[in-house]
Amino acid sequence: MFIKKNEILLNTRYSKQLEELTDEEFEELVSRADNYIVMRTHFDYTQTKNPLIQQSLKIITWRLVDYLYYCDNELDIENRFEGIASESIGDYSYSLKSANSDVGIGLTGDDELDMLLDALTVGKQKPTYFNVKGSARKRGGKCVF
C-alpha cells in the first residue's frame, strides 16, 4: 500500500461513498489499484525510497481508487466504453472527443494518471534508429559520435 486510507479520503471525489465501504471493500479497491500499478508499470515499487516516486505512487493510487470506484458503480456501462463523439441540441452541435480517442487497454482516460503511470513504466522503450552512410561503410561500419 502506497498511501493511507485517510489520505485517499482527503483527496478522492467519492469521500462520502468510500467512507461507507467496509474495511474489506476499501482494502480490495486499494489492492486492485496497487495491482494495476504493478501490472501497468512492469515493476514492483513497494521497496522504493525515492521521495518523488513515493509521491507519484500516492497520487496514482488515490486516482486509481477513484477510477475503480467509478467503474464499479457506473450505471451506463455501455456508453462509458463507447465514448461520446458529439452532442447536438437543436442547431447547436459540439464534439466532445475524437472518434480516434487514445483511451484503450491500459489507459484510464485521465491524462495526469496515465502520464504518471507512463513515467514509472519499466520495459521496452521506443528504439532509436540511425543510418550508416557511404564513408562509414568503407571503414567497416564503425561510427564515431
Side-chain angles (χ1 to χ4, degrees):
M1 179 183 254
F2 303 114
I3 188 171
K4 295 177 179 152
K5 181 177 181 175
N6 63 339
E7 291 175 297
I8 293 173
L9 293 174
L10 183 65
N11 292 299
T12 184
R13 290 180 246 170
Y14 305 108
S15 59
K16 290 180 182 179
Q17 294 90 335
L18 292 176
E19 284 176 349
E20 293 173 0
L21 296 177
T22 66
D23 288 339
E24 293 80 22
E25 292 170 327
F26 189 86
E27 290 301 319
E28 180 184 343
L29 275 175
V30 174
S31 177
R32 287 171 59 199
D34 291 346
N35 188 44
Y36 188 97
I37 293 168
V38 172
M39 298 303 288
R40 172 82 186 271
T41 62
H42 310 290
F43 192 79
D44 183 2
Y45 285 100
T46 55
Q47 302 302 317
T48 189
K49 300 293 183 209
N50 184 320
L52 181 60
I53 292 176
Q54 289 176 341
Q55 182 61 30
S56 293
L57 290 168
K58 285 182 179 187
I59 294 168
I60 291 168
T61 303
W62 72 259
R63 291 187 78 119
L64 277 172
V65 167
D66 271 3
Y67 175 75
L68 292 170
Y69 181 81
Y70 170 78
C71 288
D72 289 349
N73 295 288
E74 177 63 29
L75 298 176
D76 194 9
I77 292 173
E78 291 175 6
N79 286 338
R80 177 179 40 147
F81 289 113
E82 286 179 11
I84 299 173
S86 66
E87 186 73 27
S88 297
I89 302 173
D91 292 340
Y92 180 74
S93 179
Y94 180 75
S95 293
L96 296 175
K97 71 177 175 179
S98 169
N100 297 332
S101 174
D102 289 339
V103 176
I105 297 174
L107 298 176
T108 63
D110 180 335
D111 292 337
E112 180 184 10
L113 177 56
D114 290 331
M115 178 193 67
L116 288 169
L117 284 164
D118 287 343
L120 295 179
T121 298
V122 176
K124 292 182 180 180
Q125 301 296 324
K126 292 181 180 178
T128 303
Y129 294 102
F130 62 92
N131 291 328
V132 178
K133 293 193 177 182
S135 62
R137 284 191 197 139
K138 292 176 187 172
R139 290 180 297 193
K142 295 180 183 175
C143 293
V144 179
F145 293 97

